[in-house]
Amino acid sequence: MAPSFDNLPEDDGFDSDEEIDFSDLREQHEVRLEQGLDAFVVVDGLPIVPEDSKQKLVKFLMKKLNTVGKTREDAIFMPLNEKNMSEGYAFVEYETPEQAIAATKSLHGTALDRKHTIAVNKLTDIERYGREGRIDDEYYAPHIESFTGKEHLRSWLGDPNSRDQFVMYRGESVGVFWNRKKEAPENIVDRQHWTEVFVQWSPMGTYLATTHQKGVQLWGGPSWTRQTRFPHPFANLIDFSPGEKYLTTWSFKPIEVEEDDPILTIDEDGKNYIIWDVATGKPLRSFQTHDLSGPTVDENGVPVKKKTPWPAFKWSSDDNYVARMLEGQSISVYELPKMTLLDKKLIKIEGVKDFEWAPATPQRDGVRTYEQLFCYWTPEIGSNPAKVGLMSIPSKEIVRTRNLFNVTDAKLHWQSQAAYVCVKVDRHSKSKKSLATNLEIFRVKEKGVPVEVVDSIKDTVINFAWEPKGDRFVLITSAEIVVPQAVPPKTSVSFFCPEKVKGTGVGNFKLIRTIDKKNSNTIYWSPKGRFVIVGTVLSQQSYDLDFWDLDFEGEKPESDRDLTANLQLMATADHYGVTDIDWDPTGRYVATSASVWKHTILTIEQMENGYHLYDFKGELLREEHIDKFKQFHWRPRPPTLLSREEQKQIRKNLREYSKDFEEEDRIADDKEKGAVVEERRRMLSEWLAWREHELEDLREDRREMGLPEDPEAENAAGDGSEGDEATVVEEIREEIVDETEEIMP
């Protein structure tokens, strides 16, 4: 029989004063705040309104909130104070935690109206950052560091001799130098292991970027101190925006974010690209690499190695937009600095193959509103022809299109001032057995954007380059199929310029001259225009460099009277194994370099790595052979602050200024020569003084030994025969020290 309540034993082993440990059950069944409130956000920065206007504000706010998720009026709680006025914030519940996260990313910092910018944060952040022990109950004034002045990041522009700087990466050392023409460069800073992969200047020369396993660092100022760091592990490539406000980093390996990372968040985990704010060093947004389109194997079943397009994110000229293409489908344009999608929509362009922003803010005839332009092209799809289009941003208006037929490939080439965009179109014959190229030149500044066609080119164009800030161009053609090979194909170099016309217009483009039977494969214009180098790089058999002047001041041929150019070959040089050509930002000097990185394995030991320095006329000023030479880059300069009228006045009086510069150069040369002579005199004087000192010691020793001070007098006294002349026997011996035999190719 079971015991009743009344006859239970008094001592059942339970002590009512002893607290039972429920920690295991509490831990198992406790509802965590983060798990229960993940779908809630706090919206701050709202207008303060009376109770009568609260419902109207909630409806207006919902339009903004529902762009990234779904919420309801009854899911928005906007508290009121004792005066029946709102407090400027609201609690919002979304349907899912993912929608809440999307709201914090997309809506934080956006404008609600002209006077109010909202801040959107997750409600769980209050618990995360305000948990007991993390915030003191008592207020302590923050410690403010004393002001320390920063170095001027563009101090190098104040050099009294207007010299330019360049960086060299050789061996394990990175050095920055002043250019001194024919003299050895002046070293400014030289550091071992300054970079682990490569170095790169920012577009205006403010920063020197170095790359490391842990990320990218920017350096600058007279002391070359670190300015910013971007912790993108194993970053393989970097790209600055034109105005140096932003930076793109990319790594082949997806990012793995650690829990205690102070900069990167879970949003960057698994991504390949990060867009950074250079001023703050903070990430703005991250992206994954798109899957590359195209076949995975060739006709023989061999896997095709696909190359990641770079840069994948392309900048507008004013840093206001950055765009990315999903090949064959769309172009995504993001507004900076918020990195939000323009109008929150992709620009769908069926079959899109490539696009390029205008490198300067366009100035179209009759257009007074702000715009940026980009050009794109699509291939033939079914019965639809290939197409080239110009789109205006932010309106997304297509301002010009042109249909193309029998297109194999196309390349887009903007002129530096966005006056023209040349579409190089490779066309195939109906049998698809031969290729030819024609140029479709869009005159962007003219009314209606007319298109001029240059169809006189019989062969395939393998290289094209506009004159910077000009309207002339150079192209290289070849009748052969260009593939990597030891012997470069035969090529032709053609120079084009506009015809002369009355008024301020620009005439049609005409051929100036074609140079046949060349091996040239590259074109490098001076950044100031007029002078151009046409050369052969990355070749084992040819390494010619031709220096051309398109405004030669000599007599002009009769056939070129109606053209806006006077072409003249100034000089021809060669640099064995040349891999790179770099003009300095002023257009006065050009460096050709041979990098150990770009030589084939079979020829590395044979190459003389290093660089040659020429002036713009092609005169060799200096050459330097450097073991394990990797990179040579001139430091860019920011745009000039002089107005067009001031620049025009300088050009007008350039001959007068040239006299002063030539006199300064003569004085400098005289000083250098005088310094050499003075140094030689000093060394001779020291040697004579040393010789006299040694002779005096010798005479003193002879006096102590009782010998004549003059050894010659002693020899004459010791000679037994008087009057007999001494006989001098001279013997010449020839000896071969070393002998080598070399067979020249």
Side-chain angles (χ1 to χ4, degrees):
M1 181 177 179
S4 65
F5 178 80
D6 296 332
N7 58 12
L8 284 175
E10 294 183 3
D11 187 6
D12 57 358
F14 174 75
D15 188 356
S16 59
D17 294 332
E18 218 179 274
E19 185 177 355
I20 301 177
D21 184 9
F22 291 106
S23 59
D24 55 339
L25 297 176
R26 185 180 296 111
E27 184 178 356
Q28 181 178 355
H29 298 287
E30 183 181 25
V31 177
R32 289 184 172 83
L33 183 61
E34 290 86 350
Q35 295 178 355
L37 301 177
D38 272 349
F40 286 83
V41 297
V42 181
V43 182
D44 204 353
L46 297 175
I48 297 176
V49 296
E51 185 178 8
D52 296 341
S53 301
K54 173 184 172 182
Q55 193 68 19
K56 183 178 179 181
L57 176 60
V58 169
K59 290 182 177 180
F60 181 74
L61 180 61
M62 277 189 61
K63 295 180 180 179
K64 179 78 69 173
L65 298 174
N66 283 331
T67 58
V68 295
K70 290 185 179 181
T71 186
R72 309 177 310 278
E73 285 190 35
D74 58 355
I76 300 175
F77 175 65
M78 190 177 297
L80 301 175
N81 57 22
E82 63 276 3
K83 297 181 181 179
N84 286 330
M85 298 289 290
S86 66
E87 295 283 0
Y89 62 89
F91 300 95
V92 179
E93 182 183 7
Y94 278 99
E95 290 185 350
T96 64
E98 289 75 19
Q99 293 178 7
I101 294 174
T104 60
K105 289 183 178 180
S106 301
L107 301 181
H108 183 72
T110 59
L112 188 66
D113 54 31
R114 293 182 180 180
K115 296 182 179 180
H116 299 86
T117 299
I118 60 175
V120 182
N121 295 282
K122 294 167 61 178
L123 183 60
T124 53
D125 288 346
I126 299 174
E127 171 67 13
R128 187 190 311 169
Y129 300 120
R131 196 171 292 153
E132 185 178 356
R134 294 192 178 185
I135 299 178
D136 293 331
D137 294 334
E138 186 177 350
Y139 171 76
Y140 296 97
H143 174 68
I144 300 176
E145 299 288 343
S146 57
F147 173 77
T148 55
K150 292 187 176 181
E151 295 181 331
H152 200 303
L153 295 179
R154 293 184 176 175
S155 59
W156 91 96
L157 297 174
D159 181 64
N161 296 321
S162 300
R163 296 177 298 175
D164 279 292
Q165 294 180 358
F166 59 84
V167 63
M168 279 198 298
Y169 181 19
R170 64 268 190 257
E172 301 300 328
S173 299
V174 175
V176 181
F177 301 82
W178 286 111
N179 176 35
R180 297 202 303 169
K181 304 178 186 178
K182 295 182 180 181
E183 300 299 316
E186 177 185 338
N187 183 250
I188 305 169
V189 61
D190 208 333
R191 295 175 182 172
Q192 288 280 331
H193 307 289
W194 200 356
T195 186
E196 295 179 14
V197 187
F198 62 88
V199 294
Q200 182 175 321
W201 291 109
S202 59
M204 292 190 285
T206 307
Y207 307 104
L208 178 66
T210 59
T211 51
H212 312 265
Q213 285 190 2
K214 294 185 177 181
V216 179
Q217 300 186 88
L218 302 187
W219 309 79
S223 302
W224 294 98
T225 54
R226 183 172 56 217
Q227 305 297 317
T228 320
R229 66 174 71 184
F230 306 99
H232 185 155
F234 304 100
N236 300 106
L237 295 170
I238 64 174
D239 182 51
F240 285 91
S241 66
E244 301 182 339
K245 293 181 180 179
Y246 310 104
L247 176 71
T248 303
T249 57
W250 173 80
S251 62
F252 177 78
K253 180 181 179 182
I255 300 171
E256 297 179 3
V257 180
E258 299 179 359
E259 292 184 2
D260 56 347
D261 194 301
I263 302 296
L264 303 181
T265 66
I266 193 65
D267 296 334
E268 282 73 52
D269 193 69
K271 306 296 179 60
N272 304 87
Y273 297 91
I274 300 181
I275 310 290
W276 303 85
D277 186 320
V278 171
T280 63
K282 295 181 179 180
L284 299 178
R285 192 163 177 177
S286 55
F287 301 84
Q288 289 180 320
T289 298
H290 283 156
D291 293 333
L292 300 179
S293 61
T296 57
V297 295
D298 60 14
E299 299 175 353
N300 301 320
V302 179
V304 176
K305 186 177 181 180
K306 297 181 180 180
K307 186 178 181 181
T308 300
W310 187 259
F313 290 84
K314 299 180 180 181
W315 310 93
S316 65
S317 63
D318 58 359
D319 285 12
N320 284 341
Y321 303 98
V322 64
R324 183 191 192 189
M325 179 186 72
L326 179 57
E327 186 174 346
Q329 299 183 34
S330 62
I331 296 176
S332 303
V333 179
Y334 299 91
E335 297 181 89
L336 290 160
K338 296 178 182 178
M339 282 301 296
T340 54
L341 201 61
L342 180 64
D343 296 335
K344 297 181 173 55
K345 294 181 181 179
L346 302 172
I347 302 174
K348 295 184 178 180
I349 305 175
E350 184 181 6
V352 61
K353 295 289 289 184
D354 194 13
F355 80 102
E356 293 290 344
W357 286 99
T361 299
Q363 299 175 347
R364 289 194 294 135
D365 184 68
V367 178
R368 298 290 179 264
T369 58
Y370 165 81
E371 70 171 354
Q372 294 291 317
L373 288 178
F374 68 74
C375 182
Y376 65 90
W377 81 277
T378 62
E380 297 174 80
I381 302 175
S383 60
N384 296 325
K387 184 181 294 184
V388 176
L390 280 176
M391 181 175 287
S392 175
I393 297 296
S395 66
K396 299 184 181 179
E397 174 191 1
I398 298 177
V399 300
R400 187 70 161 89
T401 60
R402 184 170 178 83
N403 294 335
L404 305 171
F405 300 90
N406 300 328
V407 176
T408 299
D409 193 15
K411 292 289 185 291
L412 311 174
H413 300 274
W414 279 96
Q415 186 255 8
S416 62
Q417 295 173 315
Y420 313 96
V421 58
C422 175
V423 183
K424 181 183 76 68
V425 183
D426 294 334
R427 299 180 184 272
H428 56 258
S429 61
K430 292 183 179 180
S431 63
K432 297 186 178 181
K433 292 183 179 180
S434 60
L435 288 177
T437 301
N438 69 294
L439 308 178
E440 309 272 342
I441 301 177
F442 291 68
R443 294 173 173 258
V444 178
K445 289 187 176 182
E446 298 180 19
K447 187 174 182 179
V449 192
V451 179
E452 180 181 347
V453 180
V454 179
D455 55 3
S456 59
I457 306 168
K458 297 180 180 179
D459 298 326
T460 303
V461 175
I462 63 173
N463 207 330
F464 176 98
W466 283 105
E467 176 187 22
K469 303 178 181 179
D471 46 23
R472 299 173 290 199
F473 59 85
V474 181
L475 55 85
I476 300 174
T477 61
S478 175
E480 306 174 31
I481 298 177
V482 179
V483 295
Q485 53 188 347
V487 180
K490 290 296 180 183
T491 59
S492 299
V493 182
S494 300
F495 300 83
F496 286 79
C497 74
E499 291 180 305
K500 290 181 179 179
V501 294
K502 294 182 180 180
T504 58
V506 179
N508 292 331
F509 292 97
K510 297 296 180 181
L511 175 67
I512 307 171
R513 193 181 310 167
T514 296
I515 312 299
D516 295 317
K517 298 180 180 180
K518 302 291 291 184
N519 296 119
S520 306
N521 58 15
T522 188
I523 305 165
Y524 287 91
W525 280 96
S526 163
K528 301 298 183 182
R530 177 175 175 176
F531 304 105
V532 62
I533 296 175
V534 181
T536 309
V537 300
L538 300 171
S539 172
Q540 300 177 27
Q541 299 293 327
S542 181
Y543 29 86
D544 296 335
L545 304 169
D546 295 333
F547 292 77
W548 294 89
D549 181 4
L550 273 75
D551 288 323
F552 181 61
E553 297 179 358
E555 185 177 354
K556 194 173 187 179
E558 186 65 30
S559 59
D560 296 344
R561 294 293 181 186
D562 296 331
L563 301 179
T564 57
N566 187 16
L567 184 65
Q568 178 66 35
L569 177 63
M570 298 184 293
T572 297
D574 59 75
H575 181 176
Y576 179 60
V578 60
T579 59
D580 299 280
I581 300 175
D582 288 290
W583 283 91
D584 86 321
T586 65
R588 295 177 294 177
Y589 307 101
V590 61
T592 62
S593 56
S595 171
V596 69
W597 281 346
K598 298 183 180 181
H599 293 150
T600 61
I601 297 176
L602 297 177
T603 59
I604 285 178
E605 297 300 328
Q606 303 171 11
M607 294 295 181
E608 293 181 347
N609 300 312
Y611 71 95
H612 291 186
L613 184 68
Y614 300 87
D615 66 6
F616 65 92
K617 302 185 299 294
E619 178 186 350
L620 180 62
L621 302 178
R622 187 177 71 253
E623 61 179 283
E624 188 173 355
H625 302 294
I626 303 174
D627 187 35
K628 297 181 181 179
F629 180 87
K630 298 174 182 176
Q631 284 182 283
F632 181 107
H633 293 301
W634 292 100
R635 187 173 193 176
R637 286 175 175 262
T640 179
L641 299 178
L642 298 176
S643 65
R644 290 185 178 180
E645 290 299 321
E646 290 172 327
Q647 295 180 54
K648 186 177 180 181
Q649 191 67 23
I650 291 174
R651 293 191 186 97
K652 183 178 179 180
N653 301 322
L654 193 57
R655 293 186 181 276
E656 295 298 323
Y657 298 139
S658 297
K659 294 178 181 178
D660 297 335
F661 297 145
E662 289 171 359
E663 180 64 18
E664 290 179 4
D665 289 341
R666 187 190 63 79
I667 294 173
D669 289 341
D670 290 344
K671 286 183 178 179
E672 291 172 359
K673 293 176 182 177
V676 171
V677 172
E678 187 64 30
E679 177 65 15
R680 289 176 179 174
R681 286 176 178 172
R682 184 190 63 79
M683 294 172 65
L684 178 60
S685 176
E686 289 181 357
W687 184 82
L688 291 174
W690 174 83
R691 181 175 181 275
E692 183 61 32
H693 180 268
E694 293 298 317
L695 289 175
E696 181 61 33
D697 289 345
L698 180 59
R699 287 193 289 266
E700 181 66 27
D701 292 342
R702 295 183 68 85
R703 282 196 296 268
E704 293 178 357
M705 298 171 62
L707 300 174
E709 294 184 5
D710 188 359
E712 295 182 1
E714 181 182 5
N715 293 336
D719 191 353
S721 59
E722 295 182 1
D724 293 340
E725 296 182 358
T727 302
V728 178
V729 179
E730 182 176 323
E731 181 181 1
I732 300 175
R733 298 179 59 188
E734 294 185 0
E735 182 179 354
I736 298 176
V737 177
D738 190 15
E739 183 176 1
T740 60
E741 181 178 351
E742 182 177 355
I743 299 176
M744 299 298 293

